[in-house]
Each structure stands twice: as structure tokens, then as C-alpha cells.
Amino acid sequence: MQNSFHRYLFGFYKKGNMRFISHLDLQRLFKRCIKRAGIVPAYSNGFNPHEKINIVHPLSLGFETEQDYFEMDTETPYETDFLVDRMNLALPEGIRFTFCREIPYSSRNSSSITESSLYEAFLPASQNLNIDGFIIQDRVVILKKDKKTKKMVEKEVKNWIGRIELIRESEEGSTVSMLLRSAPNETLNPVNLLEALCAFSGAAFDRESLRVTRKDLFARRGETLVPLSRYYEQEHQNG
Amino acid sequence: MSSVQNELDRLLLKVEKPARYIGGELHSVVREPAEGTVRFAFCFPDLYEIGMSYLGLNILYHLLNTTEHTYCERCFTPARDMMAAMKDNGVPLFTLETKTPLKEMDFVGFTLQYELSYTNILAMLDLAGIPALSCDRAEDDPIVIAGGPCAFNAEPIADFMDVILAGDGEELLPKVCRIRKECKETGRTKLDFLKEIAKLQGVYIPRFYEPVTDENGAFAGYRKLWDGAPDRILKAIVHDIDKVDFPKELIVPLIEVVHDRAVAELFRGCTRGCRFCQAGMVYRPVRERSEDKVIDIAKTQLENSGQGELSLLSLSTSDYTKFEPLVTELMGYCKDHQVSLSLPSLRMDNFSFKVLDEIQGVRKTGLTFAAEAGTQRLRDVINKNVTEEHIFTALEQAFTLGWTSVKLYFMMGLPTETYEDLDGIVDLARRIMEKAKEHNGGKVGRYSVSVSVSNFVPKPDTPFMWVRQNTPEEFEEKHYYLKDRLRKIKGVNFRYHGSYASMLEAVFARGGRELSGALLRAYELGAAFDAWTEGFRQDAWEQALSENGIDGSYFALNDIDPDMPMPWEIIDCGISKEFFKDEWNKAQAAVTTPDCRLGCNGCGINAHTECRWGGIYAE
Ligand code: SF4
């Protein structure tokens, strides 16, 4: 029975004011969008059945994304172009599905294979960032809010950082690219990392004018990280 | 993008639930308005989550946006954190659709759903940079207009309003916008415009009237300041609601709101005549939407929104003429489309049980009874046509079908109430729990009875408008009395409301223009969101009332002689004063008035429009 499911992987972007839509609200939005498009998703079993959908590694409120991922299971097959077209009709401006492909059904979803996020941040207030010095430290310590106590606590995050580099610096500010490890339930928030970087560099930091965009999510295939959009492509070829 | 948007980008990272302020929802209307468009800001004086749950907003939004040369946008009261952030950064209150400052609108329109939202109106005008008092506004300031149930006594906010609309807005509001456009094009002044619309049924222009007082300082009527103004303003009536367009696309909120669902209104008005209920009086006569229309609206809305819930709305759902066929049809549709159906204000009869059993399936939510009073005597006084026999027959059926939780709603402080009536509440709860135990081998188990008590507030245009309210102390004593007794019954829980806020509600329900100073002062002192228990500023209100020489008890706690003139009588709700007096006399004698469908009770509304309900079910 399980094998009869079809799984579709969608890429989507979320821009402009839509960055203020939280993960839970986005889930509700996608559920409605499916319903409005007249698509019948698979439902979980049990007392309170819900749609079998998954948003891969939730994005923090306030960030934009150029390429995030969404998965949906169905019992009947659909044309992938049809899915994208129909579902895009039911989305508010600022959120769009960019592609859809059928991927092999598995009891594990794509969140479990995703291990890195690529972010780009524009820091209008910050200049002269000492990235090399920052990253070469034995311990890279950030301050983050403890979820339970709401107090700021220190955390060592060196092995969460894949890569961090300066893309541009001008009078207007600095643009930094960061490849950070992520897990389904834990991520390194790039804002906290940038705050530590600015403090280390003696640069100004203005949390409210910071703009963060997620560029893509990556999974590991052997030695290399590949964007999730291409991950299944390769698997297909290999298999 | 407007300059407001640039500022917003910074503010929104700082505040809670930023999506309240971004707009951009599916089916919201974003346009570049053409030159000469009449721009209307529909303002709901409460948080986004509350306002977006209100059907009237969608109805008028849709109607105005399908009216030529008119563009309607939305605005809600920003939460306190956003208010502060906007003030600190000099960001004026803006519309969600185009982020245009409210000050640039032609109309800023408020819906008056409850008295305790009035300070939010002042907050919104303040944030918008629009002078609070109508007399301080300049020729090019927006026209501030208001309508909704509280328009039947909008005197406490009359000084802040340029225009008040009483009654059904669907036909009136687009007409007002058209006249505004004509006046603008022909270069006529705001005053010309106000005089022009004052001719329309339902339009009240407060500045054309001045309240006068007698030698004791009591309200004695109005003096007209412009001869052309009508003596009284008869409410606007939509004679056939099937003829007005009902929205088939509701705005789909991006964040969770109180009610997030497709919704079709079955009918307006009510024939039951509960004596405390203002909506049941002022929205007479009953006007039904046809079955075909309701079905079409419901299905199209669901298709267009993808929402998972459909609700049918009216004051007494089971009274809809074609209730059974309608619900049967919609139930089938909802089942096929994974949509849950919700039917508020159901009468608990056999058919309702069949329906509830089917739509709730295994997950049975609570069963609700609005008993309103604890004894038959008091239920007769208020003309609430529910008997204990009804309740227990229904419960027997409900427990057998597997319901385990029962909710009971009561009102406290009703006219003629004694402690015997409170004992009645306790007794009812106890016997229901006993009945539940019978179904559960003598144990309470999962069964629960929740008793919710609200405080009676005398409302204008009801037979109880002249009755005094209980004092906050009386309310509190009664709350303790009930709490003490109910907590001894296992499985029963008890909920009640703050009593000072209820008194305030009565003050603003029955008061007049002399209250505007206190309102302004309360807002200055930090009052806002008065309908929310959390953050309610009783101290600010006490200070504001006393500084303005207002004795709240004068309005709330006095019995009024029905022959005295009252400030709200400037608006004619279409029901005769004689009818209200008769009903009040019958109430005092605990004599009931039957449902209109068994015979017309002579309320007088049929002098203004057709009422076809009198005696339709008479033997
Ligand atoms: S006119 Fe008669 S039937 Fe109609 S609402 Fe009034 S009392 Fe009821």
C-alpha cells in the first residue's frame, strides 16, 4: 500500500513581504493552495488525518528565499507541469513554485538528507569585516537566545560553518555568503553568526536593516554537496 | 513602492506577528487607483486577527471594489508594540493594500461592532494624523464615517464622526461614495456633500444636531443646527438581500485568525424576540437569501479559497425556511471535499442531531446551549424560548450518540433576577452532570459541563434598554456565589467576565455626547483594546471619567423612565416605542411573546418594508 504513493518535490521562492510569513503559516498556506488547485494529497492515517506534506528545513521569519523545497505525497499520479501551474494560481504574490519533479517515495523525507543551507546577507551598516581572522579562531562563539530561559547564552559553532566569504563591500555595506550546516530541528541562525563576526571585526551591526536570503539547500552525494533540486537527478542516473 | 513600505521593512523585524501589517493576501484587491477614484479605508478597530474574522468586512469590501470609480482598502488597529514602533519612527497609519497613509483617503470608515472598541478608533485616528474631533478637521482631511450595530447609539462617538450610517450598508455605502465623487468633480465643499447625503435614509450627520439638556442637566432632546436635516434618521433597509451581491471570494488571511473559513449568510434578522438581544430587534425584518444563492456562494467560496471550513451564519440558523434540504446538500458537498461544516446557533432538535452527528463524526466537539437564565420564570422574562424539557431531551440524545462535553451559556444581572435564578444555574449544571454519569456507569470520567456567564448590559432598541445594570459589586458577589457552588460539582467548570468592563459597556451603550471628552482622555492615559481582559486599563478609565465629571453609574446603574427622551432616539430602528414598552411590561409580568411566525406581534417594522413572517406557521 505504501509503495503506491507518489512523491513530488517542489522548489519555491518566498520574497518581499512574504518573508514575514512564518513556517506554520506557510504550511497552512500550502495546504489551502493544494485544496484550491483541486489536487488530492495523501492523508496520514489515524484519528486526526492530515495532509502528507513537508517543508524542508523551515526558514526563519524575516528571511527571503530564492530556492526552498516542499514535498507532497499523493495516491494518484499527476503531471508535474500541471501541479506547478495549478498551484501557482492559488498563491499570493511573492511566493511561487519554480519547478516540480517526481522523486522516489520513501519513508524518510528530504529533510533528513539535507545538511546545509547557503545564505547571502546584506549588512548595510557594516564594513571592514575580518572574516579570515574570525574563521581561523579555535573556537567560534556566538550568542543565542535560549528557547526556555529566554536568556542569551554562548554557543560554540565552528563545526556548523561550512564556508563564509565576503562577496562585495562598498560604501553602502557588505554582502556576505555563508554555507552553514543545518539539521531538521537545529540550525545555526546566520544573524547570530553575523553579529559575532561584526563584534569580532569591531564593525557596526544593525539587526533591523539586515537582509538575509537563503539561496539554496544542499544534500550530500559522496564527497560533494549538491543542491536538493539536483540530488534526485543524480540518484536517478546512478541507479 | 510607497515610502511607508521602506520604513515598514525596518519596523516589521521588530514587532510580533509582522504579517498582520503586510496585506498581500489572496483575493485582496491591489490596484493603482486612477485619477478621480474615491478611496475608502475600511477600518476595523481591533487586531487583524479579529477584524479579518468579520464577514461584514468582506461584504462591503467586495461591494465597494465592484462599484465604479471606488477603491476600498483595509486597515486594522496595530497591536501596542506596532503602535509604539510607528510613533517612534514617525510612520503614519496606512492601508494594507497600497501602504497609503490614511490621511490621503477620501473616506476613513470604521465598523462599530462593540462599544469597547471606541478607544481603538481614537488610536487609529491619532496614528493616522487625523484630528480626532470632527470640528477640528480641515476641508482636505478624509471624511470619517462609521456604521454597524453600535451605530444605533453612536452618540458617545458622534463628535468624532462626520457621518454615521444606521442599518444595512450594502446599498447605502456605494451610493454615498458616488455622491462624494460627484461633489468632488463639481468642486463642492465637504459641507455641501454632507447636506446632500443627509437626504438619504440611514444617514446621520451629527454636526447638524446639538443635544439640549433640561434644568437638571438631563438629556432633553436635540436642536437642529441645519433646518434641512431630518428630525429622526430611519435606518437603511435592504428589502431583498438576494439582490445584493454577496462575495464569492473572501480574502484568505496569511496568518491564523479567529475564524478562518468560507461563510454564507442565510438570513438577516430574527423572529424569536429575545428581549435582551439588540441584533434581533434592529435587524428586523427577517430577510432570507435563497437556497440556490447560498449553495452557490458556499461552493464558489470554497473553490476559490481552498479553505477547510464552511460556516452558515445567522442569528438562529435552524429557522431558515429550507434548512433541511440546504444542510443536506451542503453536508454532502463538504464530505466529498474534506471540508468541515460548522452551524452556529442551532436549535437542538432531531434533525440537528442527525446533522451534528454526521458532521462531527467521531470527533465530537462540545454541545452548546444558550439557556441564558437558570429558571423558567427568568427565561420567560427574557423571552428565551428554551425549556428544561428541551435541554434534557436533547442531552439524552447527545449522550447516547457519544457527546461528552456540554457548554452552557448564561447571562447574569438580568432584570428581576434573584438568587433563586442563580441556584437554578447550579441546579441545571448538577442535573446535567448526573445525567452524564448515568451514561458512564456512575462516574464523571471524560464528561464535562462548562458554565459560562456573561454580564447583562442594557442595549438601546431592546425592551430592556431602560433597565439598570447590576453594579460591579453585585456582579462580583454573584460570581462568587456561583463559583462557590459550582466548584463542588465534579466535572463542572465555570467562566465569567470582568465586571468593570461590562459597566463601561453599558455606559457607552446608553450614554450620549457628553462622553467624548472622557473617551479622549482615557485614550491619552493609555486605554486601548478595552475588549481584551489582558491589558485592560481600569485605572485609566476611572481617572478619565472622574476628570470629565462623568459618573458611570448614572448611565449604567439607573432605571430610566421610558417616557424620557433618550440620546439614541435620534436614530429610528423601525420598531415602535410602543412595542418596546409593551414588551417591557410583559417581561415584568413574566409573560412571553411567541415567535412572529405564529402570529405578527406588531413591532411596527412592516410600516417601513414588507415583513412576510407574521403567522406563517399559525395553525
Ligand atoms: S412586523 Fe410582525 S412579524 Fe414582522 S418582525 Fe415585526 S412583529 Fe414580527
Side-chain angles (χ1 to χ4, degrees), chain B residues 126-147:
Chain B
D126 183 24
L127 286 168
I130 298 170
L133 291 166
S134 165
C135 60
D136 292 341
R137 279 178 214 132
E139 186 66 24
D140 60 353
D141 274 322
I143 287 164
V144 181
I145 185 169

Side-chain angles (χ1 to χ4, degrees), chain B residues 229-373:
Chain B
D231 294 343
R232 289 184 79 195
I233 292 90
L234 178 63
K235 72 168 178 183
I237 305 172
V238 170
H239 301 287
D240 181 356
I241 61 167
D242 241 5
K243 288 215 181 91
V244 297
D245 211 13
F246 193 89
K248 290 186 179 166
E249 291 185 340
L250 303 187
I251 303 167
V252 186
L254 291 163
I255 58 172
E256 203 156 349
V257 299
V258 179
H259 294 302
D260 194 353
R261 57 198 188 184
V263 37
E265 181 196 38
L266 294 183
F267 60 90
R268 207 163 292 172
C270 185
T271 52
R272 307 210 145 237
C274 297
R275 290 176 180 137
F276 54 84
C277 178
Q278 191 191 37
M281 297 291 165
V282 300
Y283 291 115
R284 286 182 181 209
V286 164
R287 285 144 298 157
E288 284 195 347
R289 191 161 269 115
S290 66
E291 195 192 348
D292 291 349
K293 278 255 163 86
V294 172
I295 291 172
D296 181 40
I297 289 164
K299 289 184 182 172
T300 335
Q301 270 187 21
L302 286 169
E303 275 159 28
N304 285 337
S305 67
Q307 262 146 331
E309 186 183 340
L310 168 68
S311 180
L312 298 180
L313 228 62
S314 59
L315 291 171
S316 173
T317 315
S318 311
D319 286 345
Y320 186 68
T321 321
K322 301 244 176 79
F323 183 63
E324 296 202 13
L326 175 79
V327 169
T328 311
E329 157 100 25
L330 287 176
M331 221 157 52
Y333 180 87
C334 288
K335 208 168 181 182
D336 294 344
H337 293 80
Q338 303 270 2
V339 169
S340 68
L341 180 63
S342 95
L343 300 168
S345 352
L346 267 194
R347 194 171 52 235
M348 292 299 154
D349 55 18
N350 285 334
F351 178 71
S352 300
F353 271 107
K354 218 175 86 197
V355 171
L356 286 178
D357 193 35
E358 195 150 339
I359 62 184
Q360 301 197 338
V362 280
R363 277 182 292 146
K364 290 192 165 51
T365 54
L367 200 65
T368 305
F369 292 97
E372 308 296 1

Side-chain angles (χ1 to χ4, degrees), chain B residues 422-455:
Chain B
L422 301 188
D423 290 337
I425 295 177
V426 179
D427 190 48
L428 196 59
R430 177 183 300 119
R431 282 187 296 141
I432 291 175
M433 208 58 233
E434 268 155 25
K435 183 115 247 148
K437 287 198 277 188
E438 276 172 34
H439 282 262
N440 200 34
K443 287 204 205 70
V444 172
R446 293 186 291 131
Y447 287 80
S448 73
V449 175
S450 92
V451 174
S452 247
V453 171
S454 64
N455 303 325

Side-chain angles (χ1 to χ4, degrees), chain B residues 83-146:
Chain B
M83 277 194 207
M86 289 170 73
K87 281 198 169 157
D88 289 349
N89 292 276
V91 177
L93 191 62
F94 54 89
T95 59
L96 292 190
E97 279 76 0
T98 60
K99 314 287 182 289
T100 307
L102 252 51
K103 211 174 158 49
E104 293 170 24
M105 296 281 128
D106 293 291
F107 287 102
V108 167
F110 290 96
T111 174
L112 310 172
Q113 296 296 313
Y114 28 87
E115 289 85 359
L116 296 184
S117 66
Y118 291 167
T119 46
N120 286 3
I121 295 179
L122 298 183
M124 291 172 85
L125 289 173
D126 183 24
L127 286 168
I130 298 170
L133 291 166
S134 165
C135 60
D136 292 341
R137 279 178 214 132
E139 186 66 24
D140 60 353
D141 274 322
I143 287 164
V144 181
I145 185 169

Side-chain angles (χ1 to χ4, degrees), chain B residues 270-271 284-286 579 596 599-606 611 613-615:
Chain B
C270 185
T271 52
R284 286 182 181 209
V286 164
F579 175 76
C596 291
C600 175
N601 295 304
C603 75
I605 194 66
N606 49 358
C611 177
W613 303 95

Side-chain angles (χ1 to χ4, degrees), chain A residues 85-102:
Chain A
D85 292 347
R86 282 302 295 261
M87 284 170 56
N88 274 344
L89 285 177
L91 287 177
E93 200 169 307
I95 303 180
R96 283 286 171 280
F97 290 112
T98 48
F99 76 88
C100 170
R101 67 162 63 234
E102 181 162 5

